[in-house]
Amino acid sequence: MKEIPDYGFHGYQVPTVPKGPRSIRKRWPRKKSIEDSQICPFELLAAVAGKLLLESESSASSSAEGKDIFGIHKDGIKFEKLEEHKSYRSQWHDPGSCVESAFVPDSAIRALDSNSSLADIIHLGDESVLKHTSNTTDFDLSKDIDLDLKLEICTSNSTKRDLPDKLKGNFSNDGSLCDGQVKNGNRLVEDKSIHTGDFIAANTGSRDEHRTNYVNSNTVINSDRSVQFQLPLYRDPIPSASFVKQRNNVTLGTNRDDAENSFRFNKTKIKAFRPQTRFGYRRIRKMLTYKYWKEAPRLKDSELPDCPEEMKPFYRRRKGLHSQERCHREAPTKKRKVRDHNIVLACDYEARIKRTLNSPEKGVERDNNDSTTFLRRAVGPSASLGRVQKSMDTRVKLSIKSFKVPELYIEVPETATVGSLKRTVMEAVTTILGGGLDVGVVLEGKKVRDDNRTLQQAGISDSSNLETLGFTLEPSLNQQAPVSPKKPSAFVSPDANKKLTRSPITPNLELGLLVPGIPNDPPITKMEKRVEDKLELGCPLREKAEAFSDKAKKDSKALIPIPTMNVEPRAVVPLNQRPKCSELSQRRTRRPFSVTEAEALVEAVETLGTGRWRDIKMRAFDSASHRTYVDLKDKWKTLVHTACISPQQRRGEPVPQQLLDRVLCAHGYWSQHQSKQHGKHYVEALRITDGQVERVGA
DNA sequence: GTTAGGG
DNA sequence: CCCTAAC
């Protein structure tokens, strides 16, 4: 060590930095809890799957024969009940058709009624639309929206072809692999299109005719310029081993040929994908069996608030921004290359709910505890039967065309792959969907707030009113958006509520959500082309893309997932102002401390001492949002180091020696003294000596 | 969420 | 600047 000056602090030799006890802290990896990171999309999916299962089960149980078949099709939720046989048959509708209608099973209606779950309403995916907003500087989402992005929850590469197989699985109450009452081993064969996320659930042991198909969507796209992300919502309906396995595949990311493009939940490190062992399995099981099912009986309750209850346990565990950020990170080696060519896309969602007439029809029992039925059914065969119809019910057909979800920002390097774009969007969507969205019901322009009212009581059963029925997605009042506004991947602005229900008469209720601090710069239209090129040429996801494009070529209505979409970046935000988002979130740009900043830091440390970095941050760098207290700590560390080394060894912007002397002085002092006790003493001593640091006595 | 320290 | 452990 170099010559060590003595600044008079009790003969303390400044640079003798004692190694603190932390250096001997254990550093072997602790067992990181799973919920820290990788749950994200699957939690959502799990909830949705469970929800769907519940609905199907619930209805199935109402039908004594258990011959219910639900179908969910691309244009929304399609439930058709065959009156005579009390069975449900899926129906496929023309995407462009305006006459779509759907029976919504009681449970769904009730779920809607109770405002309990977003998933209830939209069943995710299908008509959830990411719309690409215009390049205007305002955020009026109602206009110039020309890009429908159909969300695609494509979980893993491995699901793309043999997904039906992967969906096979038996289901039992405890989620184990043993034989159960509910089986979902039926293949999906009806639709020739490739559904990466077709959702199959079959009710009780019965076969094809009893199959329940939750097919999410065909290849996308309708008319003109609209482009949708195909979003075969991969909803494994069964909280069973199939689900777990799938998840393992995803998280492992090692046993596939296309690891890079595989759906990795945007985790950076391999260790984040470590196989789910029993813990993970159990956790999922718990999620699906305990959490979800236990909540189920309460779906009717008004205590089910604004947030999908079954979602809460999944998301409330998620760590805050930090882990969110981590969740988005990409491998560092890849980050650098793409860092400088990011494109910021601004998207928003839309919720379009289409309603159709209701028609009286014999309904299943409206026991006010369908969930109980479901639970019982899930437990054993005896429980699935024996529900006696007690009353007639008028069914309300609700066809939810699409939802508009709050505005979404994603940041995509132009060198990004299609797959990464998908994942980015998925991440953002998942964040939003899981981040506390509520469904609001608007009737005749007025919000229906009483969740306890029946549809009939609320007038929703009245066919004359249905045309004025609408739904909204809105940020949950109970649950904040999970992502901090500082560095969002996508988040819901608190202002969102103000913009709700802008057009109550129309079915389209939109949410306009702004991301503060993101300037609405004129678009860089060149980007669009470049994006196309890049996506077209360099897509490492070719293998995956082909699956879609093959179909797309044959199907005029289909589009190759993303490449040709008219992505017009809303704005290119200066790097250091961009919200860091998605898995492609990069290492922060280096921002060397200026001398001025260093001075401010030194002064703060002189006053407050080391070890109070948060205070130092607030005191001296409160307005510098890009300086975290960790940054300050690190900078102090480097300052001390710089002061210790010879000027020849120093790099970067030269720090005045005088300042470095102060650094050493303060460092020496605070190394010997506790910050809190002696702060004033030190500062006073400095003041007394008027900068004659060498003579400062303690 | 903060702090300390290694990378 | 990142990451992690410890708190």
Side-chain angles (χ1 to χ4, degrees):
Chain A
M1 192 157 284
K2 281 172 55 67
E3 181 185 355
I4 296 171
D6 183 346
Y7 288 95
F9 298 126
H10 298 299
Y12 172 74
Q13 297 197 324
V14 173
T16 308
V17 184
K19 294 290 184 180
R22 287 175 186 267
S23 62
I24 58 173
R25 285 174 179 173
K26 293 185 206 173
R27 298 208 58 133
W28 52 71
R30 71 174 165 171
K31 190 165 185 179
K32 197 173 182 179
S33 63
I34 291 176
E35 55 263 31
D36 272 358
S37 48
Q38 53 194 40
I39 300 304
C40 331
F42 264 118
E43 288 179 342
L44 179 62
L45 295 176
V48 173
K51 196 73 188 176
L52 290 168
L53 182 62
L54 179 135
E55 289 176 6
S56 63
E57 277 300 303
S58 172
S59 297
S61 61
S62 303
S63 171
E65 311 304 325
K67 293 182 178 180
D68 301 340
I69 295 178
F70 294 120
I72 293 184
H73 194 37
K74 53 191 168 188
D75 289 308
I77 309 155
K78 300 296 175 192
F79 295 105
E80 184 96 352
K81 181 169 184 272
L82 302 182
E83 291 185 31
E84 297 301 323
H85 309 295
K86 292 181 180 177
S87 65
Y88 291 87
R89 179 181 60 191
S90 63
Q91 264 199 359
W92 303 85
H93 291 248
D94 183 336
S97 171
C98 294
V99 295
E100 298 156 358
S101 62
F103 286 102
V104 178
D106 289 351
S107 58
I109 293 176
R110 235 173 277 130
L112 190 155
D113 186 30
S114 66
N115 194 21
S116 62
S117 170
L118 167 62
D120 287 331
I121 310 302
I122 64 177
H123 280 80
L124 292 187
D126 290 352
E127 291 294 330
S128 297
V129 175
L130 265 175
K131 281 211 166 185
H132 178 64
T133 57
S134 66
N135 300 317
T136 56
T137 55
D138 70 272
F139 283 79
D140 185 350
L141 304 178
S142 66
K143 62 177 182 179
D144 296 330
I145 296 173
D146 55 10
L147 173 62
D148 285 343
L149 302 179
K150 196 139 193 176
L151 309 180
E152 175 168 7
I153 302 177
C154 51
T155 52
S156 83
N157 202 25
S158 60
T159 67
K160 62 187 174 191
R161 294 190 188 90
D162 54 348
L163 182 116
D165 287 325
K166 289 188 174 295
L167 286 176
K168 285 182 179 178
N170 291 332
F171 169 69
S172 66
N173 191 28
D174 63 353
S176 65
L177 256 175
C178 67
D179 200 10
Q181 292 305 312
V182 183
K183 298 186 177 181
N184 67 331
N186 298 295
R187 278 181 170 271
L188 174 73
V189 290
E190 293 84 347
D191 192 6
K192 297 167 187 170
S193 65
I194 298 170
H195 295 289
T196 62
D198 289 343
F199 176 46
I200 307 170
N203 287 325
T204 52
S206 51
R207 288 198 176 187
D208 292 334
E209 293 154 87
H210 308 149
R211 169 178 46 221
T212 299
N213 265 340
Y214 290 107
V215 177
N216 206 342
S217 99
N218 279 321
T219 316
V220 197
I221 308 331
N222 22 42
S223 54
D224 42 32
R225 300 171 299 171
S226 68
V227 177
Q228 298 168 326
F229 281 139
Q230 185 181 19
L231 203 173
L233 219 177
Y234 181 35
R235 293 169 290 186
D236 188 333
I238 304 304
S240 66
S242 67
F243 179 88
V244 177
K245 283 178 182 176
Q246 189 55 49
R247 183 173 163 175
N248 272 340
N249 283 342
V250 170
T251 51
L252 269 171
T254 54
N255 56 352
R256 289 195 305 277
D257 50 303
D258 192 12
E260 163 159 343
N261 295 316
S262 63
F263 200 69
R264 290 175 303 174
F265 295 145
N266 310 318
K267 293 306 295 181
T268 300
K269 295 192 169 181
I270 293 298
K271 55 188 165 185
F273 317 138
R274 66 185 171 279
Q276 297 296 301
T277 49
R278 268 186 15 179
F279 178 71
Y281 177 83
R282 283 216 307 263
R283 183 170 182 278
I284 293 171
R285 194 171 64 183
K286 180 182 179 184
M287 264 168 30
L288 292 174
T289 59
Y290 178 79
K291 277 297 182 182
Y292 180 74
W293 289 4
K294 294 289 185 183
E295 298 286 356
R298 294 167 48 200
L299 287 179
K300 277 181 62 81
D301 295 345
S302 59
E303 65 190 59
L304 266 190
D306 300 313
C307 172
E309 188 67 48
E310 66 273 26
M311 300 289 191
K312 282 182 176 177
F314 304 159
Y315 285 93
R316 69 161 63 104
R317 295 197 196 179
R318 297 183 68 175
K319 293 288 180 100
L321 169 63
H322 196 53
S323 57
Q324 284 264 349
E325 280 185 276
R326 284 188 204 163
C327 187
H328 301 159
R329 276 184 191 137
E330 183 61 85
T333 53
K334 295 178 56 184
K335 297 176 187 171
R336 275 266 155 83
K337 300 178 181 178
V338 298
R339 166 185 303 184
D340 295 327
H341 300 284
N342 284 339
I343 303 166
V344 175
L345 305 178
C347 305
D348 57 271
Y349 304 9
E350 177 185 14
R352 284 186 254 138
I353 293 91
K354 176 163 186 167
R355 308 147 322 287
T356 54
L357 289 179
N358 64 330
S359 68
E361 178 176 314
K362 286 200 174 186
V364 292
E365 170 202 19
R366 290 295 296 267
D367 180 308
N368 61 1
N369 205 346
D370 262 8
S371 303
T372 301
T373 304
F374 166 65
L375 287 174
R376 289 168 50 194
R377 179 174 180 77
V379 170
S382 61
S384 64
L385 305 176
R387 306 296 287 184
V388 181
Q389 292 193 8
K390 293 185 294 192
S391 62
M392 302 275 284
D393 193 9
T394 299
R395 290 185 155 256
V396 180
K397 293 183 184 177
L398 298 171
S399 174
I400 300 173
K401 287 294 293 181
S402 66
F403 271 84
K404 183 159 200 161
V405 197
E407 188 165 39
L408 168 71
Y409 281 92
I410 58 176
E411 184 180 275
V412 186
E414 60 179 350
T415 54
T417 64
V418 173
S420 69
L421 177 59
K422 291 178 184 176
R423 291 192 296 270
T424 301
V425 173
M426 177 60 207
E427 175 74 30
V429 169
T430 302
T431 300
I432 288 183
L433 294 182
L437 277 183
D438 297 334
V439 171
V441 176
V442 179
L443 187 63
E444 293 178 328
K446 296 178 182 177
K447 241 186 155 178
V448 181
R449 299 184 181 279
D450 188 353
D451 292 345
N452 292 320
R453 271 190 288 175
T454 66
L455 296 182
Q456 189 177 25
Q457 290 169 341
I460 295 177
S461 61
D462 181 1
S463 60
S464 62
N465 287 335
L466 282 182
E467 286 305 313
T468 63
L469 174 65
F471 297 90
T472 63
L473 292 183
E474 52 203 68
S476 170
L477 300 178
N478 293 352
Q479 183 175 352
Q480 257 191 331
V483 185
S484 160
K486 286 189 176 181
K487 298 163 186 173
S489 61
F491 66 91
V492 175
S493 151
D495 293 335
N497 280 316
K498 301 175 185 172
K499 296 199 168 190
L500 292 177
T501 321
R502 30 187 314 283
S503 180
I505 297 179
T506 73
N508 300 341
L509 302 171
E510 301 166 347
L511 301 167
L513 303 175
L514 305 184
V515 177
I518 296 184
N520 304 316
D521 296 337
I524 297 181
T525 50
K526 288 179 180 177
M527 285 295 191
E528 177 180 350
K529 185 68 168 63
R530 275 192 272 161
V531 170
E532 286 188 35
D533 291 343
K534 290 292 183 180
L535 294 175
E536 195 76 28
L537 297 176
C539 172
L541 266 187
R542 190 170 304 279
E543 185 183 357
K544 297 181 72 175
E546 280 174 359
F548 296 101
S549 57
D550 285 346
K551 158 94 177 157
K553 291 167 185 170
K554 301 171 185 173
D555 187 347
S556 61
K557 287 182 291 186
L559 268 190
I560 299 175
I562 291 96
T564 55
M565 70 185 187
N566 45 354
V567 173
E568 299 173 34
R570 173 194 294 275
V572 173
V573 183
L575 261 180
N576 50 30
Q577 294 179 22
R578 292 176 191 171
K580 302 299 185 294
C581 70
S582 89
E583 91 229 72
L584 297 167
S585 177
Q586 299 126 9
R587 185 186 181 99
R588 283 195 297 160
T589 55
R590 189 170 174 271
R591 293 186 131 197
F593 276 73
S594 65
V595 173
T596 303
E597 285 179 301
E599 286 176 348
L601 174 60
V602 170
E603 183 168 337
V605 173
E606 286 174 344
T607 303
L608 298 173
T610 57
R612 299 173 62 187
W613 302 109
R614 184 172 173 274
D615 294 337
I616 291 169
K617 155 73 178 174
M618 291 190 298
R619 178 189 180 93
F621 291 84
D622 201 26
S623 58
S625 58
H626 61 288
R627 302 295 190 198
T628 69
Y629 52 74
V630 175
D631 294 332
L632 303 180
K633 181 216 61 172
D634 288 341
K635 178 57 180 174
W636 181 258
K637 184 171 65 177
T638 60
L639 276 174
V640 171
H641 179 258
T642 301
C644 289
I645 63 180
S646 68
Q648 294 80 12
Q649 295 176 281
R650 297 169 189 166
R651 293 179 299 175
E653 187 179 7
V655 180
Q657 184 60 43
Q658 186 183 1
L659 187 60
L660 293 176
D661 290 340
R662 290 172 65 189
V663 169
L664 287 181
C665 181
H667 176 70
Y669 179 87
W670 291 118
S671 296
Q672 275 220 323
H673 299 84
Q674 293 297 320
S675 301
K676 294 180 181 177
Q677 300 166 344
H678 301 284
K680 288 182 180 177
H681 300 162
Y682 179 68
V683 172
E684 288 169 2
L686 286 179
R687 195 177 297 127
I688 289 170
T689 59
D690 193 26
Q692 302 296 312
V693 188
E694 296 83 0
R695 299 177 55 184
V696 171

